[in-house]
C-alpha cells in the first residue's frame, strides 16, 4: 500500500499516452467528427449539386411541407413498429426452445437459424425478390398447395409489398438477436429454475416471469440496436423495389420508401440536393435519440 | 400481351412524348395539371391495368425475362432493347418492328423516345475546346463511326446522316429480313421534341407511385391532382 501512495502524482499531460491515442483521435476527428459537423452545416444550406447557399431554416420548412417525407416517415414507422416486436418475440422463443436440453441437434438448429446473418444484404434480397415476383417460387408454391387461387400481388400491392419486406428482414435478423438471448440465458443460474419447478411453477410462467425479467438488459440492448437498424433500413428496400429504370417508384405507391432510401434518392437519383438530404438524415438522428431514450426510460430499474 | 411494371413510369413517358408532351413545358416549368398528353397517357395506362391485359413485372430483370423467356410477344421501349431481344437466337425470325399506336389528341404521332444518353462538355473544363472538337468530328460527322458502333456494340446514334452508311442499310434476318435501321432512323426524325428539364426523375418517381391507384379505378383527374401536389415540393 505504502509503495503505491509514495509514487509521485501523475502529470496532467502525459506525452506517451497522447502519442498512443493520437493517431486514433486524428482519424476519428477526420472521418467522424468533421463529417458530422459538416453535415449539420450542410443541413442549413440548399441548392443543386455543389452550388449550395445558406438557407437558414428553409430546409426544415420544406420538410414539414413535403408529402414524400411523410410517406417515408410513415413507412419507416410501419416497418419499425411491426417488424421489431415480431422479430424479437420470435428470437426470444427460438432462443428459449434451443436452450432446452431436451431438444436434439441443438447445435445444427442454432447454426441453421443464425446462418442467414452471414449472407450479404444485397444477395439475399435479390433472392427474395426473385422468389416473390408474380410467377415466382412463393406464389407457385402457394397456388400448388391450394392455399390461394391467384398469386399474391407481392410486388404490386402496397400491403403485400411491405409484408414481403418484413418477412425478408425477419428472416435475416432473427438469428442474430437469438444469439444474444441464448448467451444471456446460459448465464442464468439453473438453481433458480429448479426452485421454481419445486414450487410448482408451470413452464410458460417460468419463461414469462423468470427468463424474460432476467433477460431485461439484453432485451433492451436488442430493442435499441434493432430500432436503430430499422430506422436506417436501406439495402433491402432499395434492392427489392429498385433495379428498374432511372425513374420509378419505391415499391407500389412508394410503399417501401424509407427515410434512408429517400435520402439516397435526394442525393443520387434526383437532381442532387445535399443540403435537404442532410436535413432528412438529421431526422433519423433525432428519431434514434428519442426512441432510445424512451426505451431506456421504460426499462429503467424502478426503486420501490 | 406485354410485360408491364406498374411501379415504373417508362411506358407513360413513351405515350406522353409521342404527343409532344412532358412533365414540363418548353420553358422547363412543371406542367402536370392541364397537360393533355399526360392525361391521355395515364388514361391508356388505366385501360391497360383495369383490363388486366399485361403480365405484371417487378423490376428490370423480371421485365426482360418476360420477353426473352417467350412469356409475352411484344415489348414497347427504346431501340436499345434490340440487343437484348436478339440475345435469344432461337427467337430469330419471330420478331418484327412496328410503330407505337397513336393517341387521338392534337399533335399525336406514332413516334417517341425512351432512355438513351447525352454528351456534355463542361464549361469549366481545361480541355473544353478539344472535347467539343472531338464530339463535333466524331459524333456529329463521322458516319463510319456510327456503322462501327452499331455492328460491334449495337449502339444506335441519333445522327440522321448515319442512315447513309452500310450497316444502317442492312436487313436483319432476326426481324424477318426487314431493313430495321432504316425504319428506326425514319421514325427518329419524327419524334416530337420536348424539354426534359432538370427534375424529370423527381416527377417520374411521383407519377410511378400513383400508377397503382389507376388500377383501382381512381379517376385520372384525381390522380393528376395528387401528382401535381407531390411534384411541386420536389421540384426546387
Amino acid at each position: 500500500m505504502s509503495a503505491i501512495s509514495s509514487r509521485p502524482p501523475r502529470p496532467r499531460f502525459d506525452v506517451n499516452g497522447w502519442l498512443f491515442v493520437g493517431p486514433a483521435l486524428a482519424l476519428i476527428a477526420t472521418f467522424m467528427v468533421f463529417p458530422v459537423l459538416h453535415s449539420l452545416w450542410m443541413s442549413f444550406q440548399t441548392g443543386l449539386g455543389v452550388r449550395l447557399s445558406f438557407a437558414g431554416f428553409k430546409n426544415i420548412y420544406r420538410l414539414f411541407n413535403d408529402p414524400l417525407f411523410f410517406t417515408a416517415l410513415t413507412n419507416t414507422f410501419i416497418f419499425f413498429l411491426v417488424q421489431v416486436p415480431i422479430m424479437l418475440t420470435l428470437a426470444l422463443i427460438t432462443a428459449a426452445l434451443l436452450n432446452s436440453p431436451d431438444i436434439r441437434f441443438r447445435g445444427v438448429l442454432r447454426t441453421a437459424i443464425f446462418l442467414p446473418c452471414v449472407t450479404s444484404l444485397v444477395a439475399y434480397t435479390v433472392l427474395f425478390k426473385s422468389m416473390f415476383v408474380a410467377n415466382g417460387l412463393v406464389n407457385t408454391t402457394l397456388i400448388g398447395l391450394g392455399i390461394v387461387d391467384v398469386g399474391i400481388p407481392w410486388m404490386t400491392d402496397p400491403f403485400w409489398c411491405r409484408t414481403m419486406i418484413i418477412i425478408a428482414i425477419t428472416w435475416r435478423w432473427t438469428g442474430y438477436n437469438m444469439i444474444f438471448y441464448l448467451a444471456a440465458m446460459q448465464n442464468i443460474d439453473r438453481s433458480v429454475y429448479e426452485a421454481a419447478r419445486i414450487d410448482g411453477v408451470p413452464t410458460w410462467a417460468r419463461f414469462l416471469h423468470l427468463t424474460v425479467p432476467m433477460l431485461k438488459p439484453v432485451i433492451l440492448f436488442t430493442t435499441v440496436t434493432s430500432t436503430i437498424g430499422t430506422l436506417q433500413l436501406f439495402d433491402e428496400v432499395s434492392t427489392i423495389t429498385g433495379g428498374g429504370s432511372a425513374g420509378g417508384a419505391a415499391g407500389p405507391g412508394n410503399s417501401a420508401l424509407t427515410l434512408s432510401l429517400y435520402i439516397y434518392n435526394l442525393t443520387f437519383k434526383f437532381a442532387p440536393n445535399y443540403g435537404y438530404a442532410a436535413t432528412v438524415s438529421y431526422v433519423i438522428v433525432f428519431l434514434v435519440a428519442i426512441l432510445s431514450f424512451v426505451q431506456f426510460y421504460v426499462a429503467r430499474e424502478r426503486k420501490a | 400481351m406485354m410485360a408491364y411494371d406498374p411501379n415504373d413510369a417508362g411506358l407513360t413517358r413513351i405515350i406522353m412524348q409521342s404527343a409532344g408532351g412532358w412533365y414540363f413545358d418548353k420553358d422547363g416549368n412543371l406542367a402536370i395539371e392541364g397537360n393533355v398528353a399526360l392525361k391521355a397517357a395515364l388514361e391508356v395506362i388505366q385501360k391497360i391495368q383495369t383490363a388486366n391485359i399485361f403480365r405484371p413485372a417487378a423490376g428490370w430483370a423480371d421485365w426482360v425475362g418476360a420477353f426473352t423467356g417467350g412469356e409475352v410477344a411484344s415489348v414497347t421501349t427504346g431501340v436499345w432493347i434490340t440487343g437484348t431481344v436478339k440475345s435469344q437466337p432461337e427467337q430469330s425470325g419471330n420478331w418484327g418492328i412496328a410503330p407505337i399506336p397513336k393517341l387521338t389528341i392534337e399533335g399525336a404521332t406514332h413516334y417517341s423516345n425512351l432512355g438513351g444518353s447525352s454528351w456534355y462538355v463542361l464549361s469549366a473544363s481545361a480541355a473544353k475546346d478539344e472535347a467539343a472538337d472531338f464530339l463535333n468530328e466524331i459524333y456529329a460527322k463521322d458516319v463510319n463511326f456510327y456503322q462501327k458502333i452499331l455492328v460491334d456494340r449495337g449502339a444506335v446514334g441519333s445522327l440522321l446522316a448515319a442512315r447513309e452508311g452500310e450497316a444502317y442499310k442492312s436487313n436483319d434476318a432476326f426481324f424477318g429480313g426487314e431493313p430495321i435501321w432504316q425504319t428506326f432512323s425514319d421514325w427518329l426524325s419524327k419524334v416530337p421534341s420536348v424539354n426534359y428539364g432538370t427534375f424529370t426523375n423527381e416527377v417520374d418517381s411521383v407519377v410511378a407511385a400513383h400508377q397503382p391507384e389507376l388500377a383501382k379505378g381512381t379517376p385520372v383527374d384525381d390522380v393528376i391532382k395528387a401528382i401535381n401536389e407531390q411534384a411541386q415540393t420536389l421540384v426546387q
Side-chain angles (χ1 to χ4, degrees):
Chain A
M1 207 50 204
S2 58
I4 293 169
S5 55
S6 66
R7 264 196 186 161
R10 299 184 63 180
R12 283 193 94 88
F13 185 80
D14 184 344
V15 176
N16 277 335
W18 283 104
L19 276 178
F20 276 116
V21 296
L25 276 184
L27 289 172
I28 290 171
T30 318
F31 295 108
M32 189 83 192
V33 181
F34 171 71
V36 168
L37 293 177
H38 189 68
S39 68
L40 186 64
W41 166 237
M42 256 164 87
S43 73
F44 289 102
Q45 293 174 299
T46 190
L48 296 183
V50 291
R51 303 170 71 175
L52 289 170
S53 58
F54 185 75
F57 292 100
K58 222 173 129 190
N59 282 333
I60 294 168
Y61 175 78
R62 179 177 172 181
L63 198 65
F64 284 102
N65 292 288
D66 183 354
L68 268 181
F69 165 72
F70 284 103
T71 307
L73 191 68
T74 315
N75 289 336
T76 309
F77 267 88
I78 290 174
F79 286 127
F80 158 61
L81 291 173
V82 177
Q83 197 267 335
V84 174
I86 292 179
M87 173 181 68
L88 294 183
T89 314
L90 265 178
L92 198 57
I93 293 170
T94 43
L97 288 175
L98 293 179
N99 197 37
S100 154
D102 305 331
I103 288 190
R104 294 175 67 194
F105 307 116
R106 279 197 300 177
V108 179
L109 286 173
R110 280 179 194 174
T111 315
I113 295 178
F114 182 71
L115 216 53
C117 296
V118 299
T119 55
S120 130
L121 291 176
V122 173
Y124 98 83
T125 35
V126 167
L127 281 177
F128 263 81
K129 187 175 178 175
S130 70
M131 274 162 40
F132 279 86
V133 290
N135 53 358
L137 190 68
V138 174
N139 274 347
T140 340
T141 313
L142 288 177
I143 294 170
L145 291 173
I147 296 170
V148 292
D149 293 329
V150 282
I152 294 173
W154 299 105
M155 290 290 183
T156 43
D157 182 85
F159 172 79
W160 290 110
C161 182
R162 290 194 192 110
T163 309
M164 171 190 65
I165 288 165
I166 288 173
I167 293 173
I169 315 169
T170 308
W171 178 85
R172 173 67 169 71
W173 293 102
T174 301
Y176 176 79
N177 292 295
M178 181 197 75
I179 291 294
F180 288 104
Y181 295 146
L182 257 181
M185 280 177 189
Q186 281 160 7
N187 280 332
I188 300 176
D189 197 338
R190 290 182 64 90
S191 61
V192 181
Y193 289 104
E194 278 160 24
R197 208 158 38 220
I198 292 163
D199 288 343
V201 181
T203 318
W204 65 267
R206 285 204 298 272
F207 173 73
L208 215 60
H209 298 298
L210 281 177
T211 314
V212 172
M214 279 194 279
L215 289 184
K216 207 167 105 180
V218 187
I219 293 175
L220 177 65
F221 170 75
T222 50
T223 312
V224 172
T225 50
S226 306
T227 303
I228 296 172
T230 317
L231 287 181
Q232 296 179 344
L233 188 64
F234 174 76
D235 304 57
E236 285 88 350
V237 285
S238 170
T239 316
I240 289 180
T241 65
S245 60
N254 273 336
S255 55
L257 183 76
T258 61
L259 286 172
S260 294
L261 190 55
Y262 189 44
I263 294 168
Y264 175 86
N265 286 351
L266 285 170
T267 317
F268 300 109
K269 192 163 124 182
F270 300 160
N273 192 325
Y274 302 124
Y276 184 54
T279 310
V280 180
S281 70
Y282 269 92
V283 173
I284 296 188
V285 174
F286 281 117
L287 285 179
V288 169
I290 291 167
L291 288 171
S292 305
F293 176 78
V294 169
Q295 284 162 1
F296 273 106
Y297 184 77
V298 169
R300 74 193 185 281
E301 294 294 331
R302 287 185 183 80
K303 290 190 179 74
Chain B
M1 203 183 209
M2 67 175 176
Y4 171 67
D5 185 346
N7 303 325
D8 187 299
L11 190 61
T12 311
R13 271 180 278 136
I14 293 177
I15 303 172
M16 177 172 59
Q17 193 179 346
S18 77
W22 198 251
Y23 302 140
F24 306 95
D25 61 19
K26 298 278 174 199
D27 304 317
N29 303 312
L30 189 67
I32 303 294
E33 281 188 300
N35 186 332
V36 188
L38 174 63
K39 187 179 173 184
L42 290 176
E43 279 166 356
V44 174
I45 295 293
Q46 183 162 45
K47 275 184 206 160
I48 293 173
Q49 293 199 83
T50 49
N52 207 13
I53 49 163
F54 64 101
R55 188 283 214 187
W60 176 260
D62 191 38
W63 180 78
V64 167
F67 59 86
T68 53
E71 276 183 74
V72 296
S74 75
V75 50
T76 307
T77 190
V79 59
W80 37 262
I81 204 70
T82 316
T84 313
V85 172
K86 288 174 83 171
S87 68
Q88 306 297 314
E90 72 278 6
Q91 293 182 359
S92 179
N94 296 341
W95 284 90
I97 58 168
I100 57 170
K102 189 170 151 181
L103 292 171
T104 50
I105 59 171
E106 206 192 320
T109 69
H110 284 290
Y111 318 101
S112 191
N113 176 55
L114 183 77
S117 42
S118 316
W119 289 104
Y120 293 91
V121 177
L122 300 179
S123 61
S125 167
K128 182 181 152 191
D129 294 337
E130 289 87 338
D133 184 55
F134 174 77
L135 290 177
N136 205 20
E137 288 303 314
I138 304 297
Y139 282 88
K141 278 183 194 157
D142 193 340
V143 172
N144 286 332
F145 166 76
Y146 280 96
Q147 314 306 310
K148 194 171 158 56
I149 59 169
L150 178 65
V151 174
D152 292 354
R153 300 276 173 256
V156 184
S158 52
L159 182 70
L160 285 173
R163 62 182 283 130
E164 302 308 326
E166 193 80 7
Y168 273 79
K169 284 180 177 165
S170 66
N171 298 330
D172 196 326
F174 197 96
F175 294 93
E178 288 178 54
I180 60 164
W181 304 115
Q182 287 293 305
T183 316
F184 281 141
S185 93
D186 285 343
W187 297 348
L188 176 65
S189 62
K190 295 172 190 161
V191 176
S193 76
V194 294
N195 182 357
Y196 290 150
T198 313
F199 299 104
T200 283
N201 275 347
E202 279 84 339
V203 181
D204 198 58
S205 77
V206 175
V207 172
H210 282 88
Q211 287 181 162
E213 288 168 22
L214 294 168
K216 288 185 198 138
T218 314
V220 172
D221 284 323
D222 294 354
V223 173
I224 287 180
K225 217 174 157 186
I227 291 171
N228 191 47
E229 270 174 35
Q230 283 201 5
Q232 273 174 339
T233 41
L234 274 174
V235 176
Q236 57 177 279

